[in-house]
Amino acid sequence: MDFQATIDADGRIEPRDAMPDGYRKTLIRQIAQHAHSEIIGMQPESNWISRAPSLRRKAILMAKVQDEAGHGLYLYAAAETLGVDRADLLDLLHSGRQKYSSIFNYPTLTWADIGAIGWLVDGAAIVNQVPLCRCSYGPYARAMVRVCKEESFHQRQGFEILYTLSNGTEAQKAMAQDALNRWWWPSLMMFGPPDAASTHSEQSMAWGIKRHSNDELRQRFVDMTVPQADVLGLRVPDDGLVYEDGHYRFTEPDYTELYDVVKGNGPCNQQRLSRRVQAHEDGAWVREAAAAYAAKKAVRAA
Amino acid sequence: MNDLLEYTLRLGDDALIAAQRTGEWIAAAPQLEEDVALGNIALDQLGQARSLLQYAGSLDGRTEDELAYFRDEREFLNLQLCELPNGDFAFAMARLLYFATYQHLLYDELRSGADETLAGVAGKAVKEVAYHVDHATQWVLRLGDGTEESHRRMQAALEALWPYTAEMFASDDLVRRLSVAVDPSTLQDEWTNRVLAVIDQSTCERPSSSYQHSGGRSGRHTEHMGFLLAELQHVARSHPGATW
């Protein structure tokens, strides 16, 4: 079956199938950006591993950040099926030519932010990613099935952190509310610009890479999240929030902030990228040594 | 403090402080596979720490968190080896080779010991640390026999940490008195054989320092320990009585 017929029949494209250049490029860009987001996203959370306030929470957080490294690995592997390699994709990240999700350019200032990231950021990621499990490109869809399973565990643990805080002391409850106040708007921006301003959406929908529009997914997230905030006893920081015809009407975030952060002007853009580059450069001699050792071993075995 | 409590704290504190340092590597490792591997190792160490501190706490009515977050520096009984700040990756792998080889020998004895709880913890942990030893060994070989730079760094790390190894095997009245304890001095010969075999194979020179540090087992630590604890404990101590 040719490419378009497969897409039209809602079938899967596999690495050896013929595909248009644009499809390949779009997927490489999207999967790479997704992989980069996983590994940059390790930073705001690993920031709290050493300070997690109980040993149980420390263990859960370590496991979560480790899962993200694992997600990065599957996603780079999925991208590699399209004929690129991880080292080149990392170079594109390090030189700023490929992006990662802007949400990770916000700082984690208190322990409650670890709860908010799990609940809101992983919650938004799930809403974005569940449809990708049905994406037309097989290796990406299969990687996402695995990622989504772990993300839903992450989301629950984030909710549980905030639930414990909001039922704790006054100071803990205030910490939880403050985290929601700071993470709410950036979380809404995770769905991208409004549909009218979204540049890549239409073609991606036609190719079966994207299944729902940004605004649809954003609405789904708000509808899912607001009742959870009620359970937490926390207030969503939006005075315009009303329930109407089965949906929560909400105030749109200020998208100029999103464009600014995407361009590099967010609170942690420089810090995140330079820390990533630093880890990579600090590791260069290790990777070289591993390659040299493997080469010596191969010669000895021959 | 009763003997069993003190002995269990020694082992639990080693694992806890090791986990704290290993955890610092997550998101900073030389490659993504290593973030995953070091994450695994840190989780194993933390899991061992929790089991041991829970047991220690059960002996005098404290929780694992009270022991981890509300003791002061002089009450921690871990080896100084575990608390030293992370250096480069060679330093991390040298420390893991020294420490995990020791833990492996120790847990292997302890799992057939007379204390059922300690034996249970050791029985599970011995499999975990066997993997740590293997991981460290592979890296010491790669780095020692890799490039000129990696060889130099591996050699430097093996040397720098050697003066913190004798403390692992120091015998004292407590371990001689407490029948369920393993006297660590009985492990030293086998540890030396195993570690030197890896070092020889890595093409590095055997470390040759005569000075050996001590003090961790009686709560005398390096200058780094206070900062480690400040970071580990500050949120919990800022909210005494809170649950998380």
Side-chain angles (χ1 to χ4, degrees):
Chain A
M1 209 176 344
D2 79 347
F3 176 79
Q4 197 55 51
T6 306
I7 297 284
D8 293 343
D10 215 10
R12 289 279 161 83
I13 304 296
E14 294 300 332
R16 287 156 189 267
D17 295 343
M19 62 186 91
D21 261 5
Y23 178 83
R24 185 185 297 274
K25 278 188 189 140
T26 299
L27 275 168
I28 291 172
R29 182 179 55 80
Q30 182 171 333
I31 301 173
Q33 174 165 327
H34 195 159
H36 300 332
S37 301
E38 294 286 353
I39 64 169
I40 296 282
M42 293 165 72
Q43 288 184 37
E45 295 186 280
S46 67
N47 182 38
W48 281 89
I49 289 175
S50 65
R51 295 176 289 168
S54 76
L55 296 185
R56 177 173 160 264
R57 292 290 179 202
K58 191 192 285 284
I60 294 171
L61 182 57
M62 270 185 188
K64 179 173 193 283
V65 180
Q66 191 204 25
D67 282 348
E68 281 150 14
H71 296 174
L73 282 171
Y74 326 144
L75 286 163
Y76 285 118
E80 286 184 330
T81 64
L82 291 159
V84 288
D85 70 55
R86 196 211 306 182
D88 294 332
L89 297 176
L90 284 172
D91 285 343
L92 291 169
L93 168 67
H94 297 158
S95 60
R97 283 173 293 160
Q98 280 183 345
K99 304 282 184 206
Y100 54 89
S101 176
S102 283
I103 192 74
F104 301 119
N105 290 315
Y106 292 87
T108 48
L109 302 179
T110 72
W111 171 250
D113 290 29
I114 296 305
I117 287 195
W119 176 45
L120 295 173
V121 175
D122 293 327
I126 290 167
V127 170
N128 266 327
Q129 290 170 7
V130 165
L132 291 173
C133 299
R134 295 186 297 116
C135 159
S136 61
Y137 188 59
Y140 190 29
R142 289 188 288 273
M144 292 319 299
V145 171
R146 221 169 142 179
V147 169
C148 283
K149 274 187 203 152
E150 291 176 352
E151 292 294 352
S152 68
F153 167 74
H154 295 170
Q155 204 238 351
R156 279 201 300 280
Q157 68 80 37
F159 183 83
E160 198 205 309
I161 287 175
L162 290 178
Y163 190 84
T164 308
L165 293 177
S166 61
N167 289 286
T169 65
E170 281 306 307
Q172 285 178 304
K173 186 164 183 183
M175 194 191 283
Q177 181 64 54
D178 173 56
L180 173 54
N181 293 349
R182 284 181 288 109
W183 288 92
W184 175 254
W185 301 108
S187 298
L188 291 185
M189 294 179 210
M190 283 179 70
F191 299 92
D195 293 348
S198 178
T199 44
H200 300 293
S201 290
E202 214 174 307
Q203 182 62 69
S204 287
M205 301 266 264
W207 276 332
I209 296 173
K210 201 174 160 88
R211 301 279 180 181
H212 307 279
S213 80
N214 293 353
D215 288 334
E216 261 177 307
L217 294 172
R218 194 170 1 252
Q219 182 67 56
R220 194 177 288 179
F221 172 73
V222 172
D223 288 341
M224 178 184 96
T225 306
V226 172
Q228 294 174 356
D230 291 340
V231 175
L232 292 173
L234 298 176
R235 185 187 165 276
V236 172
D238 178 357
D239 291 331
L241 200 66
V242 288
Y243 189 70
E244 206 175 81
D245 305 328
H247 294 287
Y248 287 91
R249 306 291 163 214
F250 59 95
T251 308
E252 289 290 329
D254 173 9
Y255 290 106
T256 55
E257 179 177 318
L258 174 65
Y259 299 131
D260 278 345
V261 179
V262 169
K263 269 184 255 160
N265 300 314
C268 299
N269 295 60
Q270 283 199 339
Q271 178 188 329
R272 298 285 185 250
L273 197 57
S274 66
R275 162 117 193 249
R276 174 90 270 286
V277 170
Q278 188 70 49
H280 188 72
E281 286 175 357
D282 288 349
W285 68 270
V286 177
R287 296 187 301 275
E288 283 158 22
Y293 179 77
K296 284 186 203 179
K297 258 192 118 168
V299 170
R300 282 171 209 155
Chain B
M1 199 178 344
N2 89 45
D3 286 351
L4 181 58
L5 171 61
E6 184 171 347
Y7 181 68
T8 307
L9 282 176
R10 289 181 182 184
L11 308 190
D13 288 348
D14 282 351
L16 176 66
I17 303 304
Q20 184 77 359
R21 288 302 188 207
T22 309
E24 292 173 20
W25 274 102
I26 303 173
Q31 56 193 25
L32 209 42
E33 287 81 354
E34 206 50 35
D35 284 303
V36 175
L38 290 169
N40 262 326
I41 292 168
L43 275 166
D44 288 342
Q45 292 169 334
L46 184 57
Q48 292 160 21
R50 293 186 63 195
S51 300
L52 291 162
L53 293 181
Q54 283 163 12
Y55 184 44
S58 74
L59 301 169
D60 81 341
R62 281 184 281 181
T63 65
E64 57 173 357
D65 287 334
E66 284 167 327
L67 288 169
Y69 292 91
F70 291 90
R71 276 183 300 154
D72 289 332
E73 179 171 341
R74 296 286 272 111
E75 298 169 86
F76 275 82
L77 303 179
N78 57 283
L79 301 163
Q80 292 182 358
L81 177 71
C82 299
E83 75 204 39
L84 297 173
N86 287 345
D88 64 9
F89 188 71
F91 189 92
M93 290 301 111
R95 168 155 54 192
L96 189 62
L97 178 70
Y98 291 166
F99 180 58
T101 303
Y102 156 77
Q103 277 190 309
H104 188 256
L105 292 166
L106 176 70
Y107 287 143
D108 200 27
E109 285 288 314
L110 208 53
R111 69 173 157 167
S112 47
D115 185 292
E116 264 180 45
T117 306
L118 288 179
V121 173
K124 177 168 184 286
V126 76
K127 295 176 203 139
E128 296 167 349
V129 296
Y131 160 73
H132 305 178
V133 171
D134 182 60
H135 192 73
T137 299
Q138 295 308 317
W139 274 113
V140 170
L141 298 181
R142 285 186 198 111
L143 299 178
D145 195 14
T147 63
E148 226 170 273
E149 179 179 10
S150 71
H151 179 85
R152 176 177 57 72
R153 287 176 182 261
M154 196 65 246
Q155 185 69 53
L158 292 166
E159 301 271 1
L161 286 162
W162 192 258
Y164 293 90
T165 55
E167 191 182 13
M168 296 191 280
F169 308 106
S171 186
D172 62 3
D173 287 346
L174 173 74
V175 292
R176 286 190 290 265
R177 208 164 51 221
L178 181 65
S179 62
V180 302
V182 174
D183 181 340
S185 63
T186 62
L187 308 174
Q188 185 158 19
D189 288 345
E190 184 56 22
W191 181 90
T192 307
N193 290 340
R194 292 185 186 188
V195 164
L196 291 183
V198 176
I199 294 174
D200 289 346
Q201 202 191 333
S202 78
T203 76
C204 287
E205 299 289 320
R206 296 180 174 196
S208 59
S209 155
S210 51
Y211 180 72
Q212 287 286 342
H213 298 269
S214 66
R217 295 295 187 218
S218 51
R220 269 190 300 108
H221 292 281
T222 64
E223 288 183 345
H224 311 292
M225 184 67 175
F227 292 95
L228 182 151
L229 289 178
E231 206 170 319
L232 187 145
Q233 296 179 332
H234 102 265
V235 177
R237 289 199 180 204
S238 301
H239 301 267
T243 52
W244 301 95

